[in-house]
Amino acid sequence: MPPKQASPSPSGGGVQASASGGAPGAGQQIDLSTLSAQQILQVKKQLDEEMEHLNNSFTQLKGAQTRFAECAKSIETGVKGVEEGAPVLVPLTTSLYVPGKLASREKVVVDVGTGFYVEKTVDDAMGFYAEKQKDIGKNMKDLEGVLQGKANNLRMVEEVLRQKVLQQNDTPTGSSG
């Protein structure tokens, strides 16, 4: 089932949820004011899960951007500023390094993803990492917009839910007292 997204009703008669992960107003529109409190709770739960997933994705993007910045810094300080043949520590993983010697100040091996490594000139490698950081920054900015929209939708759903609960509490249950 596609995710629901709440948005103000175009007719001004309440809040609607769209059954799409995209922008508000895209996909099937559902008027939240016609749903029961239980159904609204389900929509809220789904939005909460989406927010958690998107926040995790944002954190992973930020981590990747930091790693690319560290790679560029490593080239700058560990290759450009060192003589050929100088002892260096070569990273095998993020926490495992082995001793080695700098073979060339002109070329480096770059991890281009999914276990593939490519030899590049130092300038090309720096450009590669700069481009990656820029791309991730753009993706993070886009994701921030989606997160902000989801947060607004969640607030709207919570408000409709609050109104439903108050309405149920104000409605007599049929017993006289």
Side-chain angles (χ1 to χ4, degrees), residues 13-83:
V15 176
Q16 295 184 349
S18 71
S20 75
Q28 178 185 0
Q29 297 290 317
I30 302 167
D31 188 351
L32 289 175
S33 62
T34 63
L35 299 178
S36 69
Q38 185 63 32
Q39 291 169 319
I40 295 172
L41 272 173
Q42 289 174 343
V43 171
K44 181 187 177 311
K45 180 182 176 192
Q46 187 171 5
L47 280 171
D48 285 336
E49 290 170 358
E50 289 175 17
M51 288 286 294
E52 183 178 343
H53 173 73
L54 291 171
N55 278 319
N56 289 340
S57 296
F58 187 86
T59 301
Q60 289 175 350
L61 284 173
K62 185 68 175 165
Q65 188 179 45
T66 300
R67 284 189 301 278
F68 286 128
E70 288 171 356
C71 288
K73 183 179 175 185
S74 293
I75 291 172
E76 190 70 39
T77 60
V79 175
K80 285 187 171 183
V82 178
E83 293 294 321

Short mmCIF file of all heavy atoms in Angstrom, two decimals, residues 13-83:
data_model
loop_
_atom_site.label_atom_id
_atom_site.label_comp_id
_atom_site.label_asym_id
_atom_site.label_seq_id
_atom_site.Cartn_x
_atom_site.Cartn_y
_atom_site.Cartn_z
N GLY A 13 -12.45 22.29 3.22
CA GLY A 13 -13.29 21.55 4.15
C GLY A 13 -12.54 20.52 4.95
O GLY A 13 -13.00 19.41 5.09
N GLY A 14 -11.38 20.82 5.45
CA GLY A 14 -10.67 19.87 6.30
C GLY A 14 -9.33 19.48 5.73
O GLY A 14 -8.75 20.18 4.92
N VAL A 15 -8.87 18.32 6.15
CA VAL A 15 -7.55 17.83 5.76
C VAL A 15 -7.74 16.57 4.94
O VAL A 15 -8.64 15.78 5.19
CB VAL A 15 -6.71 17.53 7.02
CG1 VAL A 15 -5.39 16.92 6.65
CG2 VAL A 15 -6.51 18.80 7.81
N GLN A 16 -6.91 16.40 3.93
CA GLN A 16 -6.97 15.21 3.09
C GLN A 16 -5.65 14.49 3.15
O GLN A 16 -4.62 15.08 3.45
CB GLN A 16 -7.27 15.58 1.64
CG GLN A 16 -8.63 16.19 1.45
CD GLN A 16 -8.93 16.46 -0.01
OE1 GLN A 16 -8.05 16.38 -0.84
NE2 GLN A 16 -10.17 16.78 -0.30
N ALA A 17 -5.66 13.19 2.87
CA ALA A 17 -4.43 12.42 2.78
C ALA A 17 -4.31 11.92 1.36
O ALA A 17 -5.29 11.49 0.77
CB ALA A 17 -4.45 11.24 3.75
N SER A 18 -3.11 12.01 0.80
CA SER A 18 -2.91 11.49 -0.54
C SER A 18 -2.15 10.18 -0.43
O SER A 18 -1.26 10.03 0.39
CB SER A 18 -2.14 12.48 -1.41
OG SER A 18 -0.81 12.58 -1.01
N ALA A 19 -2.52 9.23 -1.27
CA ALA A 19 -1.90 7.90 -1.25
C ALA A 19 -0.72 7.88 -2.20
O ALA A 19 -0.69 7.15 -3.17
CB ALA A 19 -2.92 6.85 -1.62
N SER A 20 0.23 8.76 -1.94
CA SER A 20 1.46 8.79 -2.74
C SER A 20 2.57 9.29 -1.86
O SER A 20 2.34 9.99 -0.89
CB SER A 20 1.29 9.71 -3.95
OG SER A 20 1.35 11.06 -3.56
N GLY A 21 3.80 8.91 -2.20
CA GLY A 21 4.93 9.38 -1.43
C GLY A 21 5.44 10.71 -1.91
O GLY A 21 6.38 11.25 -1.39
N GLY A 22 4.81 11.25 -2.94
CA GLY A 22 5.30 12.48 -3.56
C GLY A 22 4.74 13.71 -2.90
O GLY A 22 4.45 13.75 -1.71
N ALA A 23 4.57 14.72 -3.71
CA ALA A 23 4.13 16.01 -3.21
C ALA A 23 2.69 15.95 -2.76
O ALA A 23 1.90 15.15 -3.26
CB ALA A 23 4.30 17.05 -4.31
N PRO A 24 2.29 16.82 -1.82
CA PRO A 24 0.90 16.90 -1.42
C PRO A 24 0.03 17.20 -2.63
O PRO A 24 0.42 17.95 -3.51
CB PRO A 24 0.88 18.05 -0.42
CG PRO A 24 2.28 18.18 0.07
CD PRO A 24 3.13 17.73 -1.08
N GLY A 25 -1.13 16.60 -2.65
CA GLY A 25 -2.04 16.82 -3.76
C GLY A 25 -1.87 15.80 -4.87
O GLY A 25 -2.70 15.72 -5.76
N ALA A 26 -0.81 15.00 -4.85
CA ALA A 26 -0.61 13.99 -5.87
C ALA A 26 -1.24 12.70 -5.42
O ALA A 26 -1.18 12.34 -4.26
CB ALA A 26 0.89 13.78 -6.12
N GLY A 27 -1.86 11.98 -6.32
CA GLY A 27 -2.43 10.69 -5.98
C GLY A 27 -3.84 10.81 -5.46
O GLY A 27 -4.49 11.85 -5.55
N GLN A 28 -4.33 9.72 -4.88
CA GLN A 28 -5.69 9.64 -4.37
C GLN A 28 -5.84 10.50 -3.12
O GLN A 28 -5.04 10.42 -2.20
CB GLN A 28 -6.00 8.18 -4.05
CG GLN A 28 -7.37 7.95 -3.46
CD GLN A 28 -7.58 6.51 -3.06
OE1 GLN A 28 -6.70 5.69 -3.22
NE2 GLN A 28 -8.74 6.21 -2.53
N GLN A 29 -6.89 11.31 -3.07
CA GLN A 29 -7.14 12.18 -1.93
C GLN A 29 -8.19 11.55 -1.02
O GLN A 29 -9.20 11.07 -1.49
CB GLN A 29 -7.64 13.56 -2.40
CG GLN A 29 -6.65 14.32 -3.24
CD GLN A 29 -5.47 14.80 -2.44
OE1 GLN A 29 -5.62 15.28 -1.33
NE2 GLN A 29 -4.29 14.68 -3.00
N ILE A 30 -7.92 11.56 0.29
CA ILE A 30 -8.84 11.04 1.28
C ILE A 30 -9.06 12.13 2.30
O ILE A 30 -8.10 12.66 2.87
CB ILE A 30 -8.27 9.77 1.97
CG1 ILE A 30 -7.96 8.70 0.93
CG2 ILE A 30 -9.23 9.25 3.02
CD1 ILE A 30 -7.12 7.57 1.47
N ASP A 31 -10.31 12.47 2.55
CA ASP A 31 -10.63 13.49 3.54
C ASP A 31 -10.49 12.87 4.93
O ASP A 31 -11.26 11.99 5.30
CB ASP A 31 -12.05 14.00 3.31
CG ASP A 31 -12.39 15.19 4.19
OD1 ASP A 31 -11.60 15.52 5.09
OD2 ASP A 31 -13.46 15.79 3.97
N LEU A 32 -9.50 13.31 5.69
CA LEU A 32 -9.23 12.75 7.01
C LEU A 32 -10.38 12.97 7.97
O LEU A 32 -10.57 12.17 8.90
CB LEU A 32 -7.95 13.35 7.61
CG LEU A 32 -6.64 12.93 6.97
CD1 LEU A 32 -5.49 13.70 7.59
CD2 LEU A 32 -6.41 11.44 7.08
N SER A 33 -11.16 14.02 7.77
CA SER A 33 -12.26 14.30 8.69
C SER A 33 -13.36 13.24 8.58
O SER A 33 -14.19 13.12 9.48
CB SER A 33 -12.83 15.69 8.45
OG SER A 33 -13.36 15.78 7.14
N THR A 34 -13.36 12.44 7.52
CA THR A 34 -14.37 11.39 7.37
C THR A 34 -13.90 10.07 7.97
O THR A 34 -14.68 9.13 8.06
CB THR A 34 -14.72 11.15 5.88
OG1 THR A 34 -13.55 10.69 5.21
CG2 THR A 34 -15.24 12.41 5.23
N LEU A 35 -12.63 9.99 8.38
CA LEU A 35 -12.09 8.75 8.93
C LEU A 35 -12.36 8.67 10.43
O LEU A 35 -12.51 9.69 11.11
CB LEU A 35 -10.58 8.68 8.70
CG LEU A 35 -10.10 8.68 7.25
CD1 LEU A 35 -8.58 8.64 7.20
CD2 LEU A 35 -10.68 7.51 6.47
N SER A 36 -12.38 7.45 10.93
CA SER A 36 -12.53 7.24 12.37
C SER A 36 -11.20 7.56 13.05
O SER A 36 -10.15 7.63 12.41
CB SER A 36 -12.93 5.80 12.66
OG SER A 36 -11.85 4.92 12.36
N ALA A 37 -11.26 7.71 14.38
CA ALA A 37 -10.04 7.99 15.14
C ALA A 37 -9.03 6.86 14.95
O ALA A 37 -7.82 7.10 14.84
CB ALA A 37 -10.37 8.18 16.61
N GLN A 38 -9.51 5.62 14.89
CA GLN A 38 -8.62 4.46 14.70
C GLN A 38 -7.92 4.53 13.35
O GLN A 38 -6.72 4.27 13.24
CB GLN A 38 -9.42 3.16 14.83
CG GLN A 38 -8.57 1.91 14.77
CD GLN A 38 -7.56 1.81 15.91
OE1 GLN A 38 -7.82 2.27 17.01
NE2 GLN A 38 -6.41 1.22 15.65
N GLN A 39 -8.67 4.90 12.31
CA GLN A 39 -8.07 5.01 10.98
C GLN A 39 -7.05 6.15 10.93
O GLN A 39 -6.00 6.03 10.31
CB GLN A 39 -9.16 5.23 9.93
CG GLN A 39 -10.04 4.00 9.71
CD GLN A 39 -11.25 4.31 8.87
OE1 GLN A 39 -11.89 5.35 9.03
NE2 GLN A 39 -11.59 3.40 7.97
N ILE A 40 -7.36 7.24 11.60
CA ILE A 40 -6.43 8.37 11.65
C ILE A 40 -5.17 7.97 12.41
O ILE A 40 -4.05 8.34 12.04
CB ILE A 40 -7.09 9.62 12.27
CG1 ILE A 40 -8.22 10.10 11.35
CG2 ILE A 40 -6.08 10.73 12.48
CD1 ILE A 40 -9.08 11.20 11.94
N LEU A 41 -5.32 7.16 13.48
CA LEU A 41 -4.16 6.65 14.20
C LEU A 41 -3.27 5.82 13.29
O LEU A 41 -2.05 5.88 13.38
CB LEU A 41 -4.60 5.81 15.40
CG LEU A 41 -4.84 6.56 16.70
CD1 LEU A 41 -5.44 5.65 17.76
CD2 LEU A 41 -3.58 7.21 17.20
N GLN A 42 -3.87 5.04 12.39
CA GLN A 42 -3.10 4.25 11.45
C GLN A 42 -2.32 5.14 10.49
O GLN A 42 -1.16 4.88 10.18
CB GLN A 42 -4.01 3.29 10.66
CG GLN A 42 -4.56 2.17 11.51
CD GLN A 42 -5.57 1.32 10.75
OE1 GLN A 42 -6.10 1.72 9.72
NE2 GLN A 42 -5.83 0.12 11.27
N VAL A 43 -2.96 6.21 10.01
CA VAL A 43 -2.28 7.16 9.13
C VAL A 43 -1.13 7.82 9.88
O VAL A 43 -0.02 7.96 9.36
CB VAL A 43 -3.27 8.23 8.60
CG1 VAL A 43 -2.54 9.34 7.86
CG2 VAL A 43 -4.32 7.59 7.70
N LYS A 44 -1.37 8.19 11.15
CA LYS A 44 -0.33 8.80 11.97
C LYS A 44 0.84 7.84 12.17
O LYS A 44 2.00 8.22 12.04
CB LYS A 44 -0.88 9.23 13.33
CG LYS A 44 0.15 9.89 14.23
CD LYS A 44 -0.40 10.14 15.61
CE LYS A 44 0.61 10.73 16.55
NZ LYS A 44 1.91 10.09 16.62
N LYS A 45 0.53 6.59 12.45
CA LYS A 45 1.59 5.58 12.64
C LYS A 45 2.42 5.44 11.38
O LYS A 45 3.65 5.37 11.43
CB LYS A 45 0.97 4.24 13.02
CG LYS A 45 2.00 3.15 13.23
CD LYS A 45 1.35 1.82 13.55
CE LYS A 45 2.42 0.75 13.65
NZ LYS A 45 1.87 -0.59 13.67
N GLN A 46 1.76 5.42 10.22
CA GLN A 46 2.48 5.29 8.96
C GLN A 46 3.37 6.51 8.71
O GLN A 46 4.53 6.36 8.30
CB GLN A 46 1.49 5.12 7.81
CG GLN A 46 2.15 4.81 6.49
CD GLN A 46 1.15 4.42 5.42
OE1 GLN A 46 -0.04 4.46 5.63
NE2 GLN A 46 1.65 4.06 4.27
N LEU A 47 2.87 7.70 9.01
CA LEU A 47 3.68 8.91 8.85
C LEU A 47 4.87 8.90 9.81
O LEU A 47 5.97 9.30 9.44
CB LEU A 47 2.83 10.16 9.08
CG LEU A 47 1.96 10.60 7.90
CD1 LEU A 47 1.00 11.70 8.33
CD2 LEU A 47 2.81 11.06 6.74
N ASP A 48 4.64 8.43 11.05
CA ASP A 48 5.74 8.31 12.01
C ASP A 48 6.83 7.39 11.47
O ASP A 48 8.03 7.69 11.56
CB ASP A 48 5.25 7.78 13.35
CG ASP A 48 4.48 8.82 14.16
OD1 ASP A 48 4.71 10.03 13.95
OD2 ASP A 48 3.67 8.42 15.01
N GLU A 49 6.43 6.25 10.90
CA GLU A 49 7.40 5.30 10.34
C GLU A 49 8.15 5.90 9.16
O GLU A 49 9.36 5.72 9.02
CB GLU A 49 6.69 4.00 9.92
CG GLU A 49 6.20 3.18 11.09
CD GLU A 49 5.29 2.03 10.69
OE1 GLU A 49 4.99 1.86 9.47
OE2 GLU A 49 4.87 1.27 11.58
N GLU A 50 7.43 6.63 8.31
CA GLU A 50 8.08 7.28 7.17
C GLU A 50 9.08 8.32 7.65
O GLU A 50 10.19 8.42 7.10
CB GLU A 50 7.03 7.94 6.26
CG GLU A 50 6.19 6.96 5.49
CD GLU A 50 5.09 7.64 4.68
OE1 GLU A 50 5.16 8.87 4.46
OE2 GLU A 50 4.16 6.93 4.28
N MET A 51 8.71 9.09 8.67
CA MET A 51 9.62 10.11 9.21
C MET A 51 10.88 9.45 9.76
O MET A 51 11.99 9.94 9.54
CB MET A 51 8.93 10.91 10.32
CG MET A 51 7.87 11.88 9.84
SD MET A 51 8.55 13.33 9.03
CE MET A 51 9.39 14.11 10.40
N GLU A 52 10.72 8.33 10.47
CA GLU A 52 11.87 7.64 11.02
C GLU A 52 12.79 7.14 9.90
O GLU A 52 14.01 7.30 9.96
CB GLU A 52 11.42 6.46 11.90
CG GLU A 52 12.56 5.74 12.56
CD GLU A 52 12.10 4.60 13.46
OE1 GLU A 52 10.91 4.55 13.82
OE2 GLU A 52 12.95 3.76 13.79
N HIS A 53 12.20 6.55 8.87
CA HIS A 53 12.99 6.05 7.73
C HIS A 53 13.72 7.20 7.04
O HIS A 53 14.91 7.10 6.72
CB HIS A 53 12.08 5.33 6.74
CG HIS A 53 12.75 4.93 5.48
ND1 HIS A 53 13.67 3.90 5.41
CD2 HIS A 53 12.67 5.44 4.23
CE1 HIS A 53 14.12 3.80 4.17
NE2 HIS A 53 13.52 4.72 3.44
N LEU A 54 13.02 8.32 6.81
CA LEU A 54 13.64 9.46 6.13
C LEU A 54 14.75 10.07 6.99
O LEU A 54 15.79 10.47 6.46
CB LEU A 54 12.58 10.51 5.78
CG LEU A 54 11.59 10.08 4.69
CD1 LEU A 54 10.45 11.10 4.58
CD2 LEU A 54 12.27 9.90 3.35
N ASN A 55 14.54 10.12 8.30
CA ASN A 55 15.59 10.63 9.19
C ASN A 55 16.82 9.73 9.17
O ASN A 55 17.95 10.21 9.18
CB ASN A 55 15.07 10.79 10.62
CG ASN A 55 14.30 12.08 10.82
OD1 ASN A 55 14.69 13.13 10.33
ND2 ASN A 55 13.20 12.00 11.54
N ASN A 56 16.59 8.41 9.13
CA ASN A 56 17.72 7.48 9.02
C ASN A 56 18.46 7.68 7.70
O ASN A 56 19.70 7.65 7.66
CB ASN A 56 17.24 6.03 9.15
CG ASN A 56 16.82 5.67 10.56
OD1 ASN A 56 17.20 6.34 11.52
ND2 ASN A 56 16.02 4.63 10.69
N SER A 57 17.72 7.88 6.63
CA SER A 57 18.34 8.11 5.32
C SER A 57 19.16 9.40 5.35
O SER A 57 20.27 9.45 4.81
CB SER A 57 17.26 8.22 4.23
OG SER A 57 16.59 7.00 4.09
N PHE A 58 18.64 10.43 5.99
CA PHE A 58 19.36 11.70 6.09
C PHE A 58 20.67 11.50 6.85
O PHE A 58 21.72 12.01 6.44
CB PHE A 58 18.48 12.74 6.78
CG PHE A 58 19.07 14.12 6.76
CD1 PHE A 58 18.87 14.97 5.68
CD2 PHE A 58 19.83 14.58 7.83
CE1 PHE A 58 19.42 16.24 5.66
CE2 PHE A 58 20.39 15.85 7.80
CZ PHE A 58 20.18 16.67 6.72
N THR A 59 20.61 10.73 7.94
CA THR A 59 21.81 10.46 8.74
C THR A 59 22.84 9.71 7.92
O THR A 59 24.05 10.00 7.98
CB THR A 59 21.44 9.67 10.01
OG1 THR A 59 20.50 10.44 10.77
CG2 THR A 59 22.65 9.36 10.86
N GLN A 60 22.40 8.73 7.13
CA GLN A 60 23.32 7.97 6.29
C GLN A 60 23.95 8.86 5.21
O GLN A 60 25.14 8.74 4.92
CB GLN A 60 22.60 6.79 5.64
CG GLN A 60 22.24 5.71 6.64
CD GLN A 60 21.42 4.59 6.02
OE1 GLN A 60 20.94 4.69 4.89
NE2 GLN A 60 21.23 3.52 6.77
N LEU A 61 23.15 9.76 4.62
CA LEU A 61 23.70 10.69 3.63
C LEU A 61 24.75 11.60 4.27
O LEU A 61 25.80 11.85 3.68
CB LEU A 61 22.58 11.52 3.00
CG LEU A 61 21.72 10.83 1.96
CD1 LEU A 61 20.56 11.72 1.56
CD2 LEU A 61 22.54 10.45 0.74
N LYS A 62 24.45 12.09 5.46
CA LYS A 62 25.40 12.96 6.15
C LYS A 62 26.71 12.22 6.42
O LYS A 62 27.79 12.76 6.24
CB LYS A 62 24.78 13.48 7.46
CG LYS A 62 25.64 14.48 8.18
CD LYS A 62 25.74 15.77 7.40
CE LYS A 62 26.50 16.81 8.17
NZ LYS A 62 26.91 17.92 7.31
N GLY A 63 26.60 10.95 6.83
CA GLY A 63 27.79 10.13 7.07
C GLY A 63 28.60 9.93 5.80
O GLY A 63 29.83 10.00 5.81
N ALA A 64 27.92 9.68 4.69
CA ALA A 64 28.61 9.49 3.41
C ALA A 64 29.31 10.78 2.99
O ALA A 64 30.45 10.75 2.52
CB ALA A 64 27.62 9.04 2.34
N GLN A 65 28.64 11.90 3.17
CA GLN A 65 29.24 13.19 2.81
C GLN A 65 30.50 13.43 3.64
O GLN A 65 31.53 13.87 3.12
CB GLN A 65 28.23 14.31 3.04
CG GLN A 65 28.69 15.65 2.51
CD GLN A 65 27.66 16.73 2.74
OE1 GLN A 65 27.08 16.83 3.82
NE2 GLN A 65 27.42 17.54 1.71
N THR A 66 30.45 13.08 4.92
CA THR A 66 31.61 13.23 5.80
C THR A 66 32.75 12.33 5.35
O THR A 66 33.92 12.75 5.33
CB THR A 66 31.21 12.93 7.25
OG1 THR A 66 30.18 13.84 7.65
CG2 THR A 66 32.40 13.05 8.20
N ARG A 67 32.43 11.08 4.98
CA ARG A 67 33.47 10.16 4.51
C ARG A 67 34.15 10.67 3.25
O ARG A 67 35.37 10.57 3.11
CB ARG A 67 32.89 8.76 4.28
CG ARG A 67 32.64 8.00 5.57
CD ARG A 67 32.28 6.55 5.34
NE ARG A 67 31.10 6.35 4.52
CZ ARG A 67 29.85 6.39 4.96
NH1 ARG A 67 29.60 6.63 6.23
NH2 ARG A 67 28.84 6.19 4.15
N PHE A 68 33.37 11.22 2.31
CA PHE A 68 33.97 11.77 1.08
C PHE A 68 34.87 12.96 1.41
O PHE A 68 35.94 13.12 0.81
CB PHE A 68 32.91 12.16 0.06
CG PHE A 68 32.26 10.98 -0.62
CD1 PHE A 68 30.90 10.84 -0.67
CD2 PHE A 68 33.04 10.00 -1.23
CE1 PHE A 68 30.31 9.75 -1.30
CE2 PHE A 68 32.47 8.91 -1.87
CZ PHE A 68 31.10 8.78 -1.90
N ALA A 69 34.45 13.79 2.36
CA ALA A 69 35.28 14.92 2.77
C ALA A 69 36.58 14.42 3.40
O ALA A 69 37.65 14.98 3.14
CB ALA A 69 34.51 15.81 3.74
N GLU A 70 36.49 13.36 4.19
CA GLU A 70 37.70 12.79 4.81
C GLU A 70 38.63 12.19 3.75
O GLU A 70 39.85 12.29 3.88
CB GLU A 70 37.30 11.72 5.84
CG GLU A 70 36.68 12.30 7.09
CD GLU A 70 36.09 11.24 8.01
OE1 GLU A 70 36.09 10.04 7.65
OE2 GLU A 70 35.60 11.63 9.08
N CYS A 71 38.05 11.58 2.72
CA CYS A 71 38.89 11.02 1.64
C CYS A 71 39.66 12.14 0.94
O CYS A 71 40.86 12.01 0.68
CB CYS A 71 38.02 10.27 0.62
SG CYS A 71 37.39 8.69 1.23
N ALA A 72 38.96 13.24 0.65
CA ALA A 72 39.62 14.36 -0.01
C ALA A 72 40.72 14.93 0.89
O ALA A 72 41.82 15.25 0.42
CB ALA A 72 38.60 15.44 -0.36
N LYS A 73 40.44 15.02 2.17
CA LYS A 73 41.43 15.53 3.12
C LYS A 73 42.64 14.59 3.20
O LYS A 73 43.78 15.04 3.27
CB LYS A 73 40.80 15.71 4.50
CG LYS A 73 41.74 16.30 5.52
CD LYS A 73 41.05 16.47 6.86
CE LYS A 73 42.03 16.96 7.90
NZ LYS A 73 41.44 17.01 9.23
N SER A 74 42.38 13.28 3.15
CA SER A 74 43.46 12.30 3.17
C SER A 74 44.38 12.45 1.97
O SER A 74 45.60 12.34 2.09
CB SER A 74 42.91 10.88 3.22
OG SER A 74 42.26 10.64 4.43
N ILE A 75 43.80 12.70 0.81
CA ILE A 75 44.62 12.90 -0.39
C ILE A 75 45.44 14.18 -0.23
O ILE A 75 46.64 14.20 -0.52
CB ILE A 75 43.74 12.97 -1.66
CG1 ILE A 75 43.14 11.60 -1.94
CG2 ILE A 75 44.56 13.46 -2.85
CD1 ILE A 75 42.12 11.60 -3.07
N GLU A 76 44.78 15.21 0.26
CA GLU A 76 45.46 16.51 0.42
C GLU A 76 46.63 16.42 1.38
O GLU A 76 47.72 16.90 1.10
CB GLU A 76 44.44 17.55 0.91
CG GLU A 76 44.95 18.97 0.88
CD GLU A 76 45.12 19.51 -0.52
OE1 GLU A 76 44.28 19.23 -1.39
OE2 GLU A 76 46.11 20.23 -0.74
N THR A 77 46.42 15.77 2.52
CA THR A 77 47.48 15.72 3.53
C THR A 77 48.38 14.50 3.42
O THR A 77 49.56 14.58 3.77
CB THR A 77 46.87 15.75 4.95
OG1 THR A 77 46.02 14.61 5.11
CG2 THR A 77 46.09 17.02 5.19
N GLY A 78 47.83 13.40 2.93
CA GLY A 78 48.60 12.17 2.94
C GLY A 78 49.30 11.84 1.65
O GLY A 78 50.17 10.97 1.62
N VAL A 79 48.98 12.52 0.56
CA VAL A 79 49.63 12.24 -0.72
C VAL A 79 50.37 13.48 -1.22
O VAL A 79 51.56 13.41 -1.53
CB VAL A 79 48.60 11.77 -1.78
CG1 VAL A 79 49.26 11.60 -3.13
CG2 VAL A 79 47.94 10.47 -1.35
N LYS A 80 49.67 14.60 -1.26
CA LYS A 80 50.29 15.81 -1.79
C LYS A 80 51.43 16.31 -0.91
O LYS A 80 52.40 16.85 -1.41
CB LYS A 80 49.23 16.91 -1.95
CG LYS A 80 48.31 16.71 -3.12
CD LYS A 80 47.42 17.93 -3.30
CE LYS A 80 46.63 17.85 -4.60
NZ LYS A 80 45.82 19.05 -4.81
N GLY A 81 51.30 16.13 0.40
CA GLY A 81 52.30 16.68 1.31
C GLY A 81 53.38 15.70 1.73
O GLY A 81 54.12 15.97 2.66
N VAL A 82 53.51 14.57 1.04
CA VAL A 82 54.46 13.53 1.44
C VAL A 82 55.33 13.15 0.25
O VAL A 82 54.88 13.14 -0.89
CB VAL A 82 53.69 12.29 1.97
CG1 VAL A 82 54.63 11.18 2.36
CG2 VAL A 82 52.79 12.66 3.13
N GLU A 83 56.58 12.83 0.52
CA GLU A 83 57.50 12.41 -0.54
C GLU A 83 57.21 10.97 -0.95
O GLU A 83 56.76 10.16 -0.14
CB GLU A 83 58.94 12.49 -0.02
CG GLU A 83 59.42 13.90 0.26
CD GLU A 83 59.52 14.75 -1.00
OE1 GLU A 83 59.94 14.22 -2.04
OE2 GLU A 83 59.15 15.93 -0.93
#
